[in-house]
Amino acid sequence: MNGVMRKVYKNVIYVFKLIVIAVLLAVCLRTFFFASYKIPSYSMLPAITGGDYILVNKWIPGPRLFKKLHFADGEKVETKRLPGLRSIRRNDVLVFNFPYKETRDRMVFDRNMYYVKRCVAIPGDTFYIEKGVYKVKNNPDTLGSYRNQADNWIRFNKESSDPADESFPFDPAYPWNILDFGPLYIPGKGDRLSLDNTNIKLYEKLIAYETFKDISVRDGNVYIGDERVSSYTFENNYYFMTGDYVFDSQDSRYWGLLPEDHIVGKAGLIWQSREPGTDKFRWDRFLKRIT
């Protein structure tokens, strides 16, 4: 090999090494640190709007690793979360895998479907909606967009003859709607709750997801698979997620609680934004912090 060829060979190897390092760095950053998502809808107005590109911090609550990928074939998902900067707080805006697929009869893990919503209740909270306003027992903080919540109450009670939408769990034992909801206890990992043939309606999908067994009520008794139970200890932390634009948001009011293993991370920044349809760059949203 002459000198020219050796020089070309060294340059090719050098460029190849740079490409490999760049790819590994990109994979590492996306797996352990940050991810970017384009927002197609308006359910999080005014904080986020359609056409925004958001940056998600995976260190809140911590990077999520999958122990196996068999859940893609319908098996139980198993994850491990590395220690993060802090736990999830009320009013954090989170990106997560939507916990249902074709039907809402059973909770699943859909790794191709991502939602962004605001967390308004965390494990240990008792959440309720009173006159359209989101509240947590013994907590005075404003949760989500108070103005939109108040306007939604006015819309149904003064401007519309239509009844408020029915809400989770869509059962006669809990005749809740999006304006009058709860109280609903939000379970956390290690919580042991007593179960009966009424409150099982609130938690049956969570228990079925964790145990991968059918939940049933027979002769007034609760069964997990074939085992009769009177209580259950939860394996996951759960959260109540809502869109700020309460008039048009498919959120926990309709489908229930979100398990922590579905959460990607906290949305922190709009790094660019383009007008849908025209693709015009929106400078007023460039590098806007998400609060």
Side-chain angles (χ1 to χ4, degrees):
M1 183 182 294
N2 59 38
V4 173
M5 290 300 295
R6 278 197 296 269
K7 186 175 182 180
V8 170
Y9 177 76
K10 288 181 180 179
N11 287 339
V12 169
I13 294 299
Y14 177 73
V15 171
F16 177 76
K17 288 180 178 178
L18 287 180
I19 293 173
V20 171
I21 291 171
V23 170
L24 291 176
L25 182 61
V27 170
C28 181
L29 286 173
R30 182 169 178 81
T31 301
F32 295 103
F33 294 93
F34 303 101
S36 174
Y37 297 89
K38 180 182 178 181
I39 305 303
S41 72
Y42 299 88
S43 68
M44 277 298 295
L45 279 171
I48 304 173
T49 189
D52 286 346
Y53 291 75
I54 63 172
L55 199 63
V56 174
N57 179 5
K58 293 188 175 184
W59 283 91
I60 299 175
R64 180 184 62 177
L65 303 177
F66 295 99
K67 295 182 180 179
K68 61 179 183 178
L69 296 178
H70 292 165
F71 66 86
D73 299 320
E75 294 191 15
K76 184 178 180 181
V77 59
E78 294 185 44
T79 64
K80 176 180 177 60
R81 196 175 290 277
L82 300 181
L85 296 175
R86 64 168 175 81
S87 59
I88 294 167
R89 298 172 181 166
R90 299 183 200 95
N91 280 325
D92 281 348
V93 176
L94 305 174
V95 169
F96 56 91
N97 297 93
F98 187 59
Y100 294 92
K101 208 164 186 177
E102 296 170 354
T103 69
R104 294 183 181 173
D105 296 332
R106 180 179 288 271
M107 186 181 292
V108 297
F109 189 97
D110 188 347
R111 58 180 177 173
N112 297 313
M113 178 76 73
Y114 293 93
Y115 272 33
V116 57
K117 303 292 180 186
R118 188 180 299 277
C119 174
V120 294
I122 60 177
D125 284 348
T126 297
F127 177 80
Y128 61 104
I129 303 176
E130 184 177 69
K131 295 184 177 180
V133 177
Y134 302 162
K135 297 182 178 182
V136 166
K137 186 178 179 181
N138 298 324
N139 177 54
D141 296 341
T142 298
L143 304 169
S145 174
Y146 173 81
R147 179 174 179 177
N148 283 347
Q149 295 163 31
D151 286 349
N152 203 33
W153 169 258
I154 293 172
R155 179 169 72 101
F156 277 104
N157 283 273
K158 292 185 178 181
E159 300 174 3
S160 175
S161 59
D162 296 329
D165 296 348
E166 293 183 9
S167 66
F168 171 86
F170 298 98
D171 189 274
Y174 296 94
W176 300 347
N177 60 53
I178 60 172
L179 302 177
D180 182 15
F181 180 101
L184 171 64
Y185 179 75
I186 315 298
K189 183 177 181 179
D191 276 354
R192 188 171 188 85
L193 297 187
S194 297
L195 298 177
D196 56 44
N197 60 1
T198 300
N199 73 351
I200 189 61
K201 301 297 182 181
L202 301 175
Y203 304 110
E204 59 183 337
K205 294 177 185 177
L206 312 185
I207 298 171
Y209 173 70
E210 291 189 352
T211 63
F212 224 64
K213 296 179 180 179
D214 292 328
I215 311 302
S216 60
V217 176
R218 304 195 293 269
D219 299 323
N221 299 308
V222 177
Y223 288 81
I224 299 177
D226 295 325
E227 181 185 1
R228 178 180 169 181
V229 298
S230 59
S231 64
Y232 179 77
T233 302
F234 289 88
E235 301 174 3
N236 250 304
N237 289 320
Y238 290 90
Y239 302 86
F240 200 96
M241 309 298 300
T242 61
D244 285 356
Y245 194 68
V246 299
F247 318 102
D248 186 16
S249 175
Q250 284 295 316
D251 50 42
S252 289
R253 297 173 298 168
Y254 297 97
W255 44 259
L257 300 176
L258 177 75
E260 187 170 297
D261 60 18
H262 281 53
I263 295 172
V264 177
K266 180 181 181 295
L269 186 73
I270 299 168
W271 65 271
Q272 74 161 314
S273 183
R274 295 185 177 275
E275 191 73 41
T278 66
D279 206 38
K280 181 181 177 181
F281 195 90
R282 294 187 285 207
W283 288 101
D284 60 322
R285 303 189 67 77
F286 178 56
L287 297 184
K288 182 179 179 181
R289 188 164 168 259
I290 299 171
T291 58

